[in-house]
Amino acid sequence: MIISKEKNEPVEVRCPKCGRTQIVYIPKEEIPLCETCHVRMVISELLDEGKST
Ligand SMILES: [Zn+2]
């Protein structure tokens, strides 16, 4: 069963240390830790895919 009423926003998160980026969907997914540095990644950009009227 797919929860379609939840509105998940794709955001680009970036590691403040090494600069690697990853796309996560919030609020469904948590902001991940950098696999390399093990520090909390920060939101770098809000993406706006699938915008519908
Ligand atoms: Zn890193």
Side-chain angles (χ1 to χ4, degrees):
M1 177 167 158
I2 298 172
I3 302 173
S4 58
K5 289 182 179 175
E6 294 282 340
K7 183 167 176 57
N8 293 305
E9 297 285 348
V11 297
E12 184 181 271
V13 294
R14 184 166 61 89
C15 173
K17 290 186 71 173
C18 72
R20 69 177 278 145
T21 59
Q22 186 176 335
I23 304 298
V24 297
Y25 289 80
I26 56 171
K28 177 185 166 191
E29 298 178 24
E30 296 184 352
I31 304 299
L33 300 178
C34 177
E35 292 177 5
T36 305
C37 313
H38 301 285
V39 297
R40 182 75 60 187
M41 298 172 87
V42 296
I43 293 174
S44 102
E45 187 176 353
L46 289 171
L47 305 177
D48 205 8
E49 292 180 6
K51 183 188 289 184
S52 60
T53 50

